[in-house]
Amino acid sequence: MNKKKRASYYIWKIIKYITCIFLAILTILPFWIMLVNATRSTYEIQQNSISLLPSKYFMNNLQILLGKSFNPLKGFINSMIISGGATACTVYFSSLTAYALVAYDWKLRQSFFTLILAVMMIPAQVTSIGFYQFMYRIGMTNSFLPLILPAIAAPITVFFMRQYLISTLSLDIVNSARIDGAGEFHIFNRIIIPIMKPAIATQAIFAFVASWNNLFLPLILLTDKDKYTMPIMVSLLRGDIYKTEFGSVYLGLSLTVLPLFVVYFLLSKYIIAGVALGGVKE
Amino acid sequence: MKRFTALLIALLLLLSMALIGCGVKDNKTDEPTGQSDTKQEETKKEDKKEEAKEETPATNDQVTNDPDVKVINLWSFTDEVPKMLDKFKELNPDFPYEIKTTIIATTDGAYQPALDAALASGGADAPDIFTAEAAFVLKYTQGDASPYAAAYKDLGIDVDNLLKEAEIAQYTVDIGTNPDGNLVGLGYQATGGAFIYRRSIAKDVWGTDDPAVIKDKVGPGWDKFFAAAAELRAKGYGIISGDGDLWHAVENSSDKGWIVDGKLNIDPKREEFLDLSKKLKDNDYHNDTQDWQDAWFADMKDAGAKKVFGFFGPAWLINYVMAENSGGSAPGEGTYGDWAVCEPPVGFFWGGTWVLANKDTRVPAAVGEILEWITLDSSETGLQYYWANGTLNGPGGTKDTVASGAVMSKSDGTLDFLGYQNMFEAFVPAGEFANGKNLTQYDESINIFWRDQVREYTAGNKSREQTLADFKQQVADNLDVIVE
Amino acid sequence: MRHKGVNYAKYGYIFCIPFILAFLFFSFYPIVYTTVIGFTDLKGMGRTDFTFLENPFQNFITILNNGSFRQSLKNTIIIWITNFIPQILLALLLTAWFTNNRHKIKGQGLFKVLFYMPNIITAATIAILFYSLFGYPKGPINDLFITMGIIDEPVYFLINKATARGVVSFIQFWMWYGHTMIILISGVLGINPEIFEASDIDGANNIQTFFYVTLPNLRTILLYTLITSLIGGLNMYDIPKLFLLGGPDNATLTTSVFIYNQAFSGSYMYNRAAAASMIMFVIIAILSGIIFFIMRDKDVVQLKKQKRKLKKELKNAENMVRRAVE
């Protein structure tokens, strides 16, 4: 009996590891191919689009990339402003809204939460036509603001933050701070934000990745070359009608992913540790 | 639930207030546009002045620039034209304008919506010069967006004389002429197509690689072409790489375009493409590749399932695509140097970029100067001479055919890639066969639907009737076109 | 003893103001605008003026009768279901493994970090990669299958509707299972550890614990996952658009791609696109409502009812007392 149990335990263990390693390979492979292709010539890529071994055309690809009115530094800065701004807006204001929903007992609280749930259901695509025309009418094109400010209202993040606060916030801390004479806003900034750090980190990753990879809206809103984001620049590389320099396209794609890697790995300890989310709905 | 509805009503109220607020804002933002309106009116007045003066031959002096404007906005979908303007500035160091370029790729379908919005909204950021590709140029010269295009003559260009002097191919003029009969756009390239074939395979099958002989083997007409395909197949060769190669020739040799009087029209010659494509596939005459995909490129260097005899294409296909993919860079390497061009079975053209100006531009004379240099200047310092001889960025660049016959006749189109054949021999007459009257503004979208359905048919997934029915359905569902 | 009558409730309102303003300005107004356009004749480039149609629902009728729209709706639902079910199952399995404190997997931190990574790459990159993977007549998958002897001659995978949809589903699955897993793990971590201890003492094994303790306590988070995935799935745009342009033969045409094509490719039929958008919104709202209804917490609903009843009774009692006093 015991032996049988032990045997099945080991079989399970092997299955677990095989599954995990298989999924890990499935994850790494595309990244690897992308990085390797960044060092291969267009000719090699066309001959055989996928290779596991790097070649020696990295500098060549870089030259093509830089020669094509491609300014990675500028794109990087623009993307950083937009994604950084949008991420900061999302996590800060969502935390604030979530805190309002959890810590205070106000009359419309429940209705407001229901509203947020309803807003969550509105698909972004639905609003894009109206949004686009609206921004044109008020002359907000070629500005970063229409790409940053809407991030203030992020219902899905509010929902996430609320569940987190429910499981971690104790109102005693808030009350004792009040007795010490701290203002409400001060309490939120000095006490609540640090408590929410793990949830903020997790949501920051999600928000940053989504904003960084967003192509459609920036593409139609930003027409000034000096305001292009990294993904727009890469999409331009593919837009050459006569031939596609695949090597430099992959290099460009790799360059867009690198900053994400940095952000992701910096915050990844929160992914590893996990964030406790309360299951309470009301 | 009640509370929820109450909240919703409150929100609606708030919104209506917000809307009123926006209305106020709109008024505010209207002011500057109002100013530009008055400026536009001024330019309109100028237009009228011009019209009054038109009886005397137009020269640059009569079109005046707004002295406050220091920037020319250029919109394009590649960096080709922007790089030309760099050269223009280099040649004219006194040209007082800064060129502000906007490049949006056509890849994700973003160029047209962005350009349209920019043209429609006007103002200081509106494009002064913009470019359009063959697949959608009709929209800007004759279709929905044609009211935005300025007539070349209103930019101070002496169109009629220069057209004759430069010997511009008629099809580019046809495409660039708006419904009022004014020329609004011209290309710098000539994209008339030829048949580009392998010398070694021609020798193997017919014992000669002379273009004059091969021309009569593969054409004229599709019957002769398929007879040649059978001969090639008997020796183990494919005549072309995929049906996409054939399509550009078929598309452009048809008598009418996809839309006639607002209705979908399937030209018999285009419908025949179904059968031609099926015949190619069933008889194994090609490698069943798709244009612009890896396998298609591979066939240019003998890396496909069977060797491929030829490709249909204009000069740019040779220089930018085939030479790059031939597996070599000098005769003897890969397939480099083993090619030749001859007249195709049917005349056609493929691709090309047209250059247009915004009719609301505030610097019409300066814009006219640039456009004339790109499209109509047949001198040795005109853009087209540099372009034809590959000397735009110094010697040794890529040669190409250009729109001006005058430039072509004094340029040298000899290519080592073609075994030292002068490609202009085949491409100059090719421009005359091309027909610019069967394009429509929806070609890009409709062609995607059509090619997709033809692939379904040749793969044996559906009947011919079903294929045509599904194609009509797709056009009706997705475009504002009447389908019967 | 009241502290100078400080009313904290007002901060609840104040702290929500930024959210509400941003929402009204950037979401609500465009939604209303879109809705309005759906009833008008706004089409063609550069137009901003419009008039309402004689039959206000004309665009909606046109869209509902549009063969491509129906096809796209069918595709969207097929692709969503075929990627969501394996995705949530795998995410649950991984969650069970990674939150099991008795049998820890070595390097699970690394695995967690890796599994989320596919979400980082842009859709454009993934589309290019997969397109070359399934290349025809030459491509890595074809080469591999031929060397392994599974097929004799190259197969045109991406012209086959089922395969094309399958690949899109797979990409979606692969991109999102890690994300779902992270959310689910967070949900498990939020469950009161005492509950697990209790089930441990009762002698429940891993599987029993998972089904009888973890899952029921995960309800809210599962609901969240389900709803966000439903919204994301029914709005799928990037991959279908960039991978095969909705082809072959409309097999991967999703409703979002359809809407984009109506509005921006060719005819600029903003009115039809807006009508299609509103139809999608209604569909999503109904489906979400159904999910909410199925997943609702019956105990909480009961509790709420009782609360309301009590309040009513209290009021009645108050009134009675008042009347009695008068």
Side-chain angles (χ1 to χ4, degrees):
Chain A
M1 179 66 203
N2 214 350
K3 245 185 192 168
K4 220 177 167 185
K5 217 176 176 183
R6 179 159 277 193
S8 85
Y9 167 73
Y10 277 115
I11 289 170
W12 262 112
K13 201 167 178 178
I14 290 167
I15 292 176
K16 277 184 196 177
Y17 279 106
I18 288 177
T19 314
C20 287
I21 290 167
F22 175 73
L23 289 172
I25 292 172
L26 216 55
T27 299
I28 295 171
L29 216 54
F31 286 94
W32 183 248
I33 292 168
M34 183 173 71
L35 291 172
V36 166
N37 276 352
T39 70
R40 301 171 75 211
S41 70
T42 302
Y43 178 71
E44 284 173 319
I45 294 169
Q46 276 166 3
Q47 289 286 77
N48 215 334
S49 50
I50 285 163
S51 159
L52 296 179
L53 297 175
S55 183
K56 50 185 190 287
Y57 291 90
F58 177 76
M59 286 316 288
N60 197 13
N61 288 335
L62 188 67
Q63 263 166 9
I64 297 172
L65 194 65
L66 295 176
K68 285 211 168 183
S69 49
F70 183 87
N71 188 344
L73 193 69
K74 191 159 243 166
F76 176 78
I77 292 168
N78 290 338
S79 277
M80 219 50 191
I81 294 170
I82 293 174
S83 303
T87 306
C89 282
T90 300
V91 295
Y92 184 79
F93 288 105
S94 297
S95 306
L96 189 68
T97 314
Y99 179 66
L101 281 168
V102 174
Y104 301 105
D105 193 10
W106 38 297
K107 218 173 172 184
L108 290 175
R109 169 160 88 160
Q110 195 49 48
S111 333
F112 185 66
F113 182 58
T114 317
L115 178 88
I116 287 182
L117 290 181
V119 171
M120 249 167 63
M121 279 177 256
I122 300 170
Q125 229 74 35
V126 169
T127 61
S128 66
I129 294 161
F131 184 73
Y132 173 60
Q133 297 228 332
F134 181 33
M135 289 305 128
Y136 248 105
R137 276 227 316 268
I138 61 170
M140 288 268 261
T141 51
N142 275 329
S143 155
F144 291 159
L145 291 180
L147 297 168
I148 295 174
L149 292 181
I152 293 172
I156 293 176
T157 314
V158 173
F159 184 92
F160 187 96
M161 295 295 193
R162 177 179 177 273
Q163 301 311 113
Y164 177 77
L165 271 181
I166 285 173
S167 73
T168 45
L169 179 71
S170 106
L171 283 176
D172 296 342
I173 308 174
V174 180
N175 281 328
S176 62
R178 277 178 190 156
I179 290 164
D180 290 346
E184 294 301 306
F185 196 57
H186 185 84
I187 294 175
F188 173 74
N189 284 332
R190 286 299 144 100
I191 298 170
I192 306 302
I193 290 277
I195 292 177
M196 296 186 74
K197 225 163 121 188
I200 288 177
T202 314
Q203 285 298 314
I205 292 175
F206 294 171
F208 194 88
V209 167
S211 172
W212 187 275
N213 284 338
N214 188 5
L215 174 64
F216 179 62
L217 266 186
L219 197 59
I220 53 177
L221 286 175
L222 304 176
T223 53
D224 183 348
K225 205 166 114 191
D226 291 336
K227 299 225 163 89
Y228 282 174
T229 61
M230 285 290 260
I232 297 183
M233 288 186 173
V234 173
S235 83
L236 275 185
L237 290 177
R238 292 202 302 136
D240 196 328
I241 47 169
Y242 297 126
K243 59 178 180 241
T244 309
E245 289 287 355
F246 283 105
S248 61
V249 169
Y250 281 109
L251 182 59
L253 291 170
S254 308
L255 283 179
T256 56
V257 174
L258 281 181
L260 286 178
F261 271 136
V262 174
V263 173
Y264 181 55
F265 285 115
L266 279 180
L267 296 174
S268 67
K269 70 173 186 195
Y270 295 101
I271 296 269
I272 296 167
V275 179
L277 286 187
V280 192
K281 211 173 7 171
E282 297 304 311
Chain B
M1 198 57 214
K2 246 186 211 164
R3 272 198 205 155
F4 181 57
T5 39
L7 195 75
L8 210 83
I9 290 167
L11 270 176
L12 275 168
L13 277 173
L14 252 171
L15 179 90
S16 50
M17 272 152 64
L19 280 177
I20 296 163
C22 292
V24 174
K25 250 186 224 149
D26 275 354
N27 288 343
K28 275 181 197 153
T29 49
D30 269 350
E31 279 166 30
T33 46
Q35 279 172 3
S36 69
D37 275 349
T38 53
K39 276 193 182 129
Q40 276 168 16
E41 270 162 35
E42 277 166 31
T43 50
K44 267 178 207 158
K45 273 179 214 155
E46 280 168 10
D47 282 349
K48 273 176 202 155
K49 272 184 227 158
E50 273 163 47
E51 277 164 31
K53 282 180 194 167
E54 236 167 57
E55 285 127 38
T56 55
T59 56
N60 278 358
D61 317 321
Q62 292 172 345
V63 183
T64 48
N65 295 323
D66 184 331
D68 299 338
V69 179
K70 290 278 164 279
V71 174
I72 290 179
N73 291 312
L74 166 69
W75 281 54
S76 190
F77 50 90
T78 63
D79 57 6
E80 249 174 43
V81 176
K83 280 195 172 148
M84 291 174 189
L85 294 206
D86 291 345
K87 180 77 178 181
F88 180 78
K89 294 259 290 184
E90 189 188 312
L91 291 172
N92 301 283
D94 299 333
F95 192 70
Y97 296 93
E98 184 201 335
I99 311 283
K100 212 168 122 196
T101 350
T102 299
I103 304 175
I104 299 178
T106 50
T107 334
D108 299 312
Y111 179 65
Q112 290 185 62
L115 174 62
D116 295 349
L119 285 172
S121 56
D125 286 333
D128 295 298
I129 302 175
F130 57 99
T131 63
E133 199 191 354
F136 53 82
V137 61
L138 259 279
K139 176 169 146 195
Y140 296 95
T141 57
Q142 293 162 22
D144 294 345
S146 60
Y148 295 105
Y152 271 36
K153 68 173 163 53
D154 294 342
L155 303 168
I157 301 175
D158 183 9
V159 177
D160 297 333
N161 287 327
L162 284 172
L163 273 181
K164 261 179 233 145
E165 196 181 299
E167 300 165 40
I168 302 292
Q170 188 55 38
Y171 82 99
T172 57
V173 180
D174 288 343
I175 290 170
T177 304
N178 74 7
D180 301 334
N182 287 324
L183 185 74
V184 294
L186 272 183
Y188 44 91
Q189 277 169 313
T191 58
F195 188 67
I196 308 152
Y197 64 92
R198 288 286 298 280
R199 289 175 184 269
S200 57
I201 296 177
K203 275 185 190 149
D204 184 24
V205 178
W206 292 293
T208 176
D209 61 357
D210 184 0
V213 179
I214 302 304
K215 171 180 96 178
D216 290 329
K217 292 284 176 194
V218 298
W222 295 120
D223 291 339
K224 289 192 88 174
F225 182 76
F226 274 91
E231 278 185 70
L232 284 158
R233 183 71 193 88
K235 292 241 179 186
Y237 300 114
I239 190 162
I240 46 178
S241 176
D243 69 350
D245 296 304
L246 204 62
W247 167 246
H248 299 286
V250 170
E251 178 192 15
N252 201 246
S253 62
S254 73
D255 301 312
K256 290 209 164 105
W258 283 124
I259 296 163
V260 176
D261 300 330
K263 287 181 197 152
L264 180 69
N265 168 58
I266 304 179
D267 190 279
K269 286 186 181 160
R270 287 187 181 177
E271 191 176 330
E272 194 196 358
F273 179 61
L274 276 172
D275 310 315
L276 296 178
S277 182
K278 182 90 176 153
K279 207 164 156 189
L280 280 169
K281 168 109 179 173
D282 291 351
N283 292 307
D284 199 22
Y285 286 157
H286 62 23
N287 277 342
D288 202 11
T289 63
Q290 221 178 311
D291 34 347
W292 303 110
Q293 303 308 330
D294 290 350
W296 186 65
F297 294 117
D299 278 342
M300 295 172 185
K301 51 184 164 268
D302 283 348
K306 51 182 175 283
K307 286 188 178 185
V308 162
F309 181 56
F311 290 84
F312 283 93
W316 58 258
L317 187 80
I318 295 176
N319 295 317
Y320 294 100
V321 184
M322 297 181 65
E324 295 277 331
N325 289 293
S326 61
S329 53
E333 293 173 19
T335 62
Y336 201 97
D338 190 31
W339 298 88
V341 283
C342 72
E343 230 168 80
V346 295
F348 73 104
F349 79 93
W350 178 14
T353 303
W354 275 256
V355 189
L356 297 93
N358 187 344
K359 74 160 176 25
D360 290 335
T361 180
R362 285 153 66 189
V363 284
V367 166
E369 207 180 316
I370 292 175
L371 258 51
E372 185 180 323
W373 178 72
I374 293 178
T375 61
L376 286 163
D377 184 344
S378 52
S379 75
E380 290 185 9
T381 52
L383 176 270
Q384 297 193 37
Y385 187 81
Y386 294 112
W387 196 255
N389 294 290
T391 50
L392 187 67
N393 305 308
T398 312
K399 293 176 180 179
D400 201 351
T401 48
V402 291
S404 160
V407 171
M408 295 272 272
S409 58
K410 59 184 168 189
S411 301
D412 175 22
T414 307
L415 290 183
D416 50 0
F417 179 77
L418 296 175
Y420 303 102
Q421 184 186 4
N422 183 348
M423 65 169 174
F424 293 165
E425 284 166 18
F427 284 115
V428 173
E432 289 159 23
F433 293 121
N435 174 0
K437 291 186 170 160
N438 53 15
L439 297 189
T440 64
Q441 60 172 327
Y442 296 141
D443 281 355
E444 193 178 23
S445 308
I446 298 180
N447 284 341
I448 290 174
F449 298 140
W450 176 243
R451 297 278 308 275
D452 194 26
Q453 288 302 329
V454 172
R455 255 196 302 284
E456 292 289 319
Y457 173 67
T458 53
N461 292 346
K462 49 174 81 163
S463 70
R464 202 171 185 279
E465 289 71 38
Q466 190 61 42
T467 307
L468 286 169
D470 287 354
F471 168 64
K472 286 177 184 167
Q473 176 77 44
Q474 280 188 322
V475 173
D477 286 351
N478 287 294
L479 296 167
D480 198 13
V481 173
I482 301 163
V483 177
E484 285 170 337
Chain C
M1 185 53 217
R2 286 187 88 182
H3 217 50
K4 270 200 234 158
V6 172
N7 182 7
Y8 291 116
K10 76 173 184 213
Y11 289 100
Y13 293 98
I14 294 171
F15 286 0
C16 287
I17 288 173
F19 181 96
I20 292 173
L21 284 182
F23 168 69
L24 285 178
F25 198 68
F26 294 109
S27 297
F28 198 65
Y29 175 69
I31 291 168
V32 173
Y33 190 78
T34 313
T35 318
V36 170
I37 291 175
F39 296 101
T40 67
D41 65 344
L42 184 67
K43 64 178 177 187
M45 75 162 282
R47 274 194 52 196
T48 46
D49 57 313
F50 50 77
T51 47
F52 287 91
L53 294 171
E54 267 174 48
N55 174 2
F57 293 100
Q58 188 52 50
N59 292 322
F60 293 85
I61 294 166
T62 313
I63 288 293
L64 288 172
N65 287 323
N66 189 313
S68 297
F69 178 73
R70 289 189 195 167
Q71 178 68 39
S72 71
L73 195 58
K74 201 176 111 197
N75 294 335
T76 311
I77 291 170
I78 292 174
I79 294 172
W80 179 62
I81 289 176
T82 51
N83 91 71
F84 182 67
I85 291 174
Q87 177 192 325
I88 191 100
L89 289 180
L90 181 66
L92 277 172
L93 185 71
L94 293 173
T95 306
W97 288 351
F98 288 155
T99 53
N100 188 333
N101 288 328
R102 269 181 280 181
H103 307 300
K104 272 204 170 147
I105 293 178
K106 268 182 202 148
Q108 53 168 278
L110 180 71
F111 284 130
K112 280 188 206 167
V113 169
L114 282 179
F115 293 170
Y116 174 72
M117 262 173 44
N119 214 298
I120 289 186
I121 331 181
T122 28
T125 318
I126 292 172
I128 299 179
L129 274 178
F130 275 82
Y131 200 93
S132 27
L133 270 174
F134 287 91
Y136 167 84
K138 274 164 52 80
I141 301 273
N142 264 319
D143 292 351
L144 187 74
F145 281 12
I146 289 174
T147 19
M148 282 166 66
I150 300 173
I151 47 174
D152 295 330
E153 52 179 55
V155 176
Y156 203 159
F157 292 106
L158 298 180
I159 203 177
N160 182 307
K161 293 186 199 181
T163 333
R165 269 191 212 125
V167 174
V168 172
S169 278
F170 174 78
I171 297 175
Q172 293 284 344
F173 157 80
W174 174 75
M175 278 180 82
W176 289 99
Y177 78 92
H179 184 271
T180 311
M181 177 196 78
I182 287 170
I183 304 276
L184 291 181
I185 289 177
S186 300
V188 174
L189 291 178
I191 299 171
N192 191 338
E194 283 166 23
I195 304 178
F196 287 113
E197 276 160 30
S199 84
D200 241 12
I201 292 163
D202 290 348
N205 65 24
N206 286 337
I207 296 168
Q208 284 168 328
T209 312
F210 186 75
F211 278 100
Y212 295 106
V213 181
T214 316
L215 266 190
N217 280 299
L218 261 181
R219 182 168 21 207
T220 313
I221 301 304
L222 272 177
L223 179 72
Y224 165 85
T225 316
L226 213 62
I227 299 279
T228 47
S229 155
L230 176 83
I231 297 162
L234 295 191
N235 283 304
M236 206 182 310
Y237 174 78
D238 289 7
I239 295 288
K241 169 85 185 170
L242 297 170
F243 183 45
L244 293 169
L245 290 170
D249 201 13
N250 279 354
T252 60
L253 182 80
T254 60
T255 46
S256 287
V257 177
F258 174 83
I259 290 168
Y260 176 85
N261 286 345
Q262 294 281 314
F264 295 112
S265 86
S267 292
Y268 292 91
M269 294 183 283
Y270 296 117
N271 53 353
R272 278 210 224 164
S277 297
M278 290 328 291
I279 292 170
M280 277 319 286
F281 175 50
V282 170
I283 290 172
I284 291 172
I286 290 173
L287 288 179
S288 306
I290 293 172
I291 292 174
F292 267 115
F293 185 74
I294 295 171
M295 303 274 292
R296 76 188 184 282
D297 199 329
K298 278 157 201 132
D299 301 338
V300 175
V301 175
Q302 207 76 39
L303 211 81
K304 241 182 166 177
K305 262 186 192 161
Q306 275 177 355
K307 236 182 178 173
R308 224 173 282 157
K309 218 174 169 186
L310 267 171
K311 253 188 188 166
K312 229 180 193 175
E313 273 167 16
L314 201 79
K315 231 179 192 174
N316 283 347
E318 252 175 41
N319 284 348
M320 259 155 62
V321 170
R322 211 175 290 158
R323 250 177 259 160
V325 170
E326 277 165 10

